Amino acid sequence: MNSQSFANITISLPVFMVSLIVGIQPLPNQELAASECRLAKWNLPPLANNNKKLPVLISRQPITCCQEDISCLDQAIYDDKNDQIADKKALLQSIDYSLKYLQTQRAIKAYQKSEITRERVIQSLQRFRQLLIATKSAPELHAAIEKEFVFYQSVGRDRKGTVLFTAYYEPLYLASRQPTKEFRYPAYRYPPDLESWAKPHPTRLELEGADGLQSSKGKLKGLELFWFKDRLQPYMIQIQGSGRLKLTDGTQTTIGYAGNTAYNYRSLGRSLVDDGKLPLEGLTMPIILDYFRKYPQDLNIYIPRDQSFVFFQETHGQPAQGSISVPLTPERSIATDKSLMPPGALALIRAPFPYINKSNKMEYRVVSRYVLDQDTGGAIKGAGRVDYYLGTGDSPGERAGVTVSNGQLFYLLLKPQN
């Protein structure tokens, strides 16, 4: 990225991830060209309404593409001209990351109580990888998958398969290794004695004070890792889980998640709505940004309301990593609730996502993407939530901030051998 891009980032407020925005309505399902290709075709059929606990994933036949419905195909894999979307090489790399994870003791333990076996996930990834290399077009790949794979659809939020999609990214900020009058707000390393801290853990307010500058008086003293100009910046990195830093000495580095205190995350947007500062209806990112530009002192009220606190470690330029300890791939990695979903597995997502067009304006397109389930998040709970990783920096941040839409989530597994 050029120096002008860095300058643009350092002089502006950071872009809010959609998890800071509550009450924004998901985009309506967009109608496709043919009536039989409307989004309803992708929904689960009505499920029996009884007292039995439903499985989270329901097996079903692959969804055949309708005529002229290109939204059911992952065309980005074969689009060599579009370098902003992860291509076949990136998808292959992401598959290899999952396969590497699935050989670990951690993966073996994670699948011990799962109805989906680790071996089946591995075999499915290996076969999909072969098909990905062998096929020359999106329709050819889709046809091969229809023939060999079973789709397991998430029941979603409504038992009809509706999943709410948001997105996240890796922020890029200017930072300093030393505190100065300009760089005052720290991000912190993992406390070596955190395991011995009495519970309930200290809250964010108790750890860093209302203004975020009181850490030297408590348990965070000496744990400062990097300093930032804007208080929102280290807080945003806590939400995103990692960050890429351009340092004042001209070098670059990265920081990644190392641990957290035992509290649930509470969004700024939720607090603002609860206090009547902003209306729930029509709440958007520009409105929230504008509010804090007008009332920066209110950060001292609303940031402390999020009692959770995240710690970091310097990762020296490594890519952002997911919860299964593999690098995240832009537009090919997702975060789900790992108490429900199979870690490292191959999935297909379909939903409206924002893209920046040639006129530098945001537009939404219904797309399908093959992805790997490689991460989780504090706000990603239940079968009806997916967070989509978009990459590093300004453009992914802008897109992540306006990603909020309903769609579907499918896991792809090889058909059982007779």
Side-chain angles (χ1 to χ4, degrees):
M1 184 176 291
N2 60 40
S3 59
Q4 183 179 359
S5 297
F6 282 122
N8 289 339
I9 290 168
T10 58
I11 64 174
S12 62
L13 282 173
V15 177
F16 274 82
M17 190 184 75
V18 76
S19 65
L20 297 183
I21 304 174
V22 297
I24 183 170
Q25 296 300 311
L27 293 172
N29 294 332
Q30 298 185 12
E31 292 188 2
L32 303 175
S35 60
E36 68 270 19
C37 287
R38 292 175 182 169
L39 203 55
K41 177 178 180 179
W42 294 73
N43 288 341
L44 282 167
L47 301 173
N49 187 11
N50 52 40
N51 294 327
K52 293 183 179 179
K53 186 177 180 180
L54 284 172
V56 172
L57 300 174
I58 306 294
S59 64
R60 61 176 294 174
Q61 292 297 317
I63 298 180
T64 302
C65 290
C66 298
Q67 186 176 4
E68 299 180 355
D69 177 19
I70 62 173
S71 71
C72 75
L73 302 174
D74 188 346
Q75 295 182 307
I77 300 172
Y78 303 91
D79 187 359
D80 294 333
K81 296 180 181 179
N82 191 349
D83 60 1
Q84 294 181 347
I85 297 178
D87 57 10
K88 182 184 287 191
K89 183 178 179 181
L91 180 53
L92 288 168
Q93 181 67 76
S94 192
I95 292 168
D96 290 343
Y97 289 145
S98 277
L99 286 170
K100 183 178 180 181
Y101 158 75
L102 289 163
Q103 300 301 324
T104 65
Q105 287 298 315
R106 185 178 173 189
I108 293 171
K109 183 178 180 180
Y111 276 90
Q112 283 178 347
K113 297 181 179 180
S114 173
E115 294 184 9
I116 297 173
T117 67
R118 183 178 62 94
E119 290 74 16
R120 190 179 180 194
V121 173
I122 291 172
Q123 292 167 5
S124 301
L125 283 171
Q126 290 172 336
R127 181 55 180 156
F128 179 79
R129 194 183 194 284
Q130 292 171 349
L131 293 174
L132 189 58
I133 293 172
T135 54
K136 304 300 181 183
S137 69
E140 184 183 357
L141 177 61
H142 187 87
I145 290 171
E146 280 189 314
K147 181 179 180 181
E148 298 190 34
F149 285 76
V150 178
F151 280 36
Y152 287 83
Q153 185 169 1
S154 170
V155 296
R157 298 184 295 157
D158 57 0
R159 296 159 58 102
K160 295 180 182 179
T162 302
V163 173
L164 176 63
F165 285 84
T166 53
Y168 65 116
Y169 72 110
E170 182 182 51
L172 175 60
Y173 297 132
L174 185 65
S176 172
R177 289 190 181 274
Q178 302 296 329
T180 69
K181 291 182 179 180
E182 192 175 17
F183 293 86
R184 302 189 299 155
Y185 299 99
Y188 299 89
R189 60 174 55 88
Y190 186 86
D193 61 345
L194 181 62
E195 297 299 321
S196 66
W197 284 15
K199 291 186 178 180
H201 284 159
T203 64
R204 177 181 297 275
L205 179 63
E206 292 168 336
L207 286 172
E208 64 175 7
D211 61 0
L213 297 173
Q214 309 305 314
S215 61
S216 61
K217 300 177 182 179
K219 289 180 175 293
L220 297 183
K221 183 178 181 179
L223 297 177
E224 297 87 354
L225 190 59
F226 292 97
W227 281 262
F228 299 81
K229 289 183 178 181
D230 189 324
R231 188 181 182 189
L232 276 170
Q233 293 175 345
Y235 181 68
M236 282 298 298
I237 295 175
Q238 288 197 30
I239 295 172
Q240 305 295 340
S242 64
R244 188 165 294 271
L245 310 180
K246 178 179 171 61
L247 301 178
T248 53
D249 62 6
T251 62
Q252 290 192 40
T253 190
T254 52
I255 57 176
Y257 173 86
N260 60 273
T261 56
Y263 289 100
N264 291 327
Y265 163 74
R266 178 179 176 81
S267 72
L268 294 179
R270 169 58 63 191
S271 295
L272 287 168
V273 169
D274 288 348
D275 282 1
K277 298 292 186 179
L278 294 175
L280 179 63
E281 184 177 356
L283 184 64
T284 63
M285 183 195 319
I287 291 174
I288 292 179
L289 288 173
D290 186 60
Y291 178 86
F292 284 115
R293 288 191 185 104
K294 291 179 179 177
Y295 308 104
Q297 70 277 7
D298 279 8
L299 288 171
N300 295 350
I301 298 172
Y302 291 103
I303 287 181
R305 295 226 187 137
D306 176 16
Q307 296 186 348
S308 66
F309 205 91
V310 177
F311 303 104
F312 297 95
Q313 58 187 339
E314 185 173 2
T315 52
H316 304 284
Q318 293 181 9
Q321 288 205 337
S323 62
I324 64 171
S325 299
V326 301
L328 298 174
T329 303
E331 309 212 29
R332 295 298 172 187
S333 296
I334 61 171
T336 65
D337 186 340
K338 290 297 178 291
S339 69
L340 302 174
M341 302 304 181
L346 173 69
L348 175 71
I349 59 174
R350 184 177 187 271
F353 291 108
Y355 294 90
I356 299 174
N357 62 23
K358 294 181 180 179
S359 301
N360 204 33
K361 295 182 178 180
M362 203 76 73
E363 63 180 18
Y364 288 84
R365 300 199 301 268
V366 179
V367 299
S368 296
R369 292 289 181 263
Y370 295 108
V371 295
L372 285 303
D373 193 343
Q374 297 171 330
D375 203 3
T376 191
I380 308 303
K381 302 295 185 185
R385 287 288 283 112
V386 170
D387 222 8
Y388 188 30
Y389 180 67
L390 295 182
T392 300
D394 199 22
S395 178
E398 292 178 2
R399 293 179 59 209
V402 294
T403 299
V404 53
S405 57
N406 285 329
Q408 292 79 32
L409 166 67
F410 307 85
Y411 289 88
L412 276 56
L413 296 172
L414 280 172
K415 293 178 179 179
Q417 298 295 320
N418 296 327

